[in-house]
Amino acid sequence: QKEVEQDPGPLSVPEGAIVSLNCTYSNSAFQYFMWYRQYSRKGPELLMYTYSSGNKEDGRFTAQVDKSSKYISLFIRDSQPSDSATYLCAMSNSGGSNYKLTFGKGTLLTVNP
Amino acid sequence: EPEVTQTPSHQVTQMGQEVILRCVPISNHLYFYWYRQILGQKVEFLVSFYNNEISEKSEIFDDQFSVERPDGSNFTLKIRSTKLEDSAMYFCASSEPQRGTDTQYFGPGTRLTVL
């Protein structure tokens, strides 16, 4: 079983739709959960950061973590064409002096005007 | 807003040649990382670096790879003898882990093409 699994899509939605992106993972040691946005041939841009289980909201974005199910989600409300990008989930263990991130493969999202 | 910068944006090299990829992390950050992304594949961890030494490295980071912080601002990745399969985007990242946080900020990447 892969450490982090993410449906690569592609996902195509109309402008204004609610988008749901998801990842599952197998490593129960993961404590920190992140969502990055990556435009074509650019570096990942940090969108949301969550520690342990729970919800976090930032503007149109909501991140959810369910550690009991090893499942994380990112919701985008009122999606815009500028949200079109690849969305990467990433996770890391707690403790120690290193925080290597383990990424999902990314979901390609297109928001159509 | 502070950002991670990387040079060059694109590097073309012949197989067997040495390359050095350069990064300037965010100035008050203490932890530095290199990741790579082969076209169409996931972003993969290569190495983390703190207090002038490697904290962790992946199985990809073999003896052909090395990292260095030659001065107070630059962080470099050297590949001694490039192979065709080293062709990828290489991303530098930095973070300043505080209690309960470890967010990493990525640079725009260097696209390495090995011919």
Side-chain angles (χ1 to χ4, degrees), chain A residues 2 4 32 34 36 38 41-46 49 51 88 92-93 96-101 103-105, chain B residues 31 33 35 37 40-43 45 48 50 55-56 89 91 97 100-108 111:
Chain A
K2 292 179 183 176
V4 179
Y32 300 90
M34 287 134 277
Y36 284 84
Q38 187 177 28
R41 294 186 178 270
K42 300 292 185 185
E45 173 195 3
L46 181 65
Y49 167 89
Y51 170 66
L88 311 173
S92 68
N93 298 349
S97 62
N98 64 79
Y99 296 95
K100 73 170 189 180
L101 297 181
F103 282 85
K105 199 169 182 182
Chain B
Y31 291 75
Y33 311 83
Y35 292 81
Q37 186 177 32
Q41 298 188 24
K42 61 172 63 177
V43 176
F45 169 80
S48 59
Y50 170 71
S55 302
E56 185 175 357
M89 284 289 286
F91 295 108
T101 66
D102 65 338
T103 51
Q104 295 182 24
Y105 295 88
F106 283 73
R111 182 152 61 101

Side-chain angles (χ1 to χ4, degrees), chain A residues 15-86:
Chain A
E15 183 174 353
I18 296 175
V19 176
S20 172
L21 304 167
N22 312 290
C23 287
T24 59
Y25 63 95
S26 58
N27 187 348
S28 57
F30 287 143
Q31 297 283 342
Y32 300 90
F33 304 92
M34 287 134 277
W35 286 94
Y36 284 84
R37 177 172 60 195
Q38 187 177 28
Y39 294 109
S40 181
R41 294 186 178 270
K42 300 292 185 185
E45 173 195 3
L46 181 65
L47 271 181
M48 299 286 286
Y49 167 89
T50 310
Y51 170 66
S52 195
S53 283
N55 293 0
K56 185 173 183 178
E57 188 173 320
D58 184 2
R60 296 185 294 112
F61 298 90
T62 300
Q64 288 185 352
V65 174
D66 181 351
K67 289 189 67 182
S68 63
S69 303
K70 296 191 179 68
Y71 187 86
I72 71 169
S73 302
L74 177 71
F75 298 94
I76 307 173
R77 290 184 298 281
D78 187 25
S79 55
Q80 303 295 310
S82 57
D83 295 328
S84 298
T86 297

Side-chain angles (χ1 to χ4, degrees), chain B residues 67-113:
Chain B
V67 289
E68 191 178 30
R69 186 152 164 84
D71 53 44
S73 59
N74 290 283
F75 180 51
T76 62
L77 174 69
K78 181 193 289 186
I79 309 175
R80 287 188 184 80
S81 178
T82 50
K83 307 182 187 73
L84 295 176
E85 55 265 35
D86 293 328
S87 295
M89 284 289 286
Y90 287 80
F91 295 108
C92 174
S94 69
S95 69
E96 186 190 18
Q98 301 167 18
R99 186 174 176 180
T101 66
D102 65 338
T103 51
Q104 295 182 24
Y105 295 88
F106 283 73
T110 292
R111 182 152 61 101
L112 176 65
T113 302

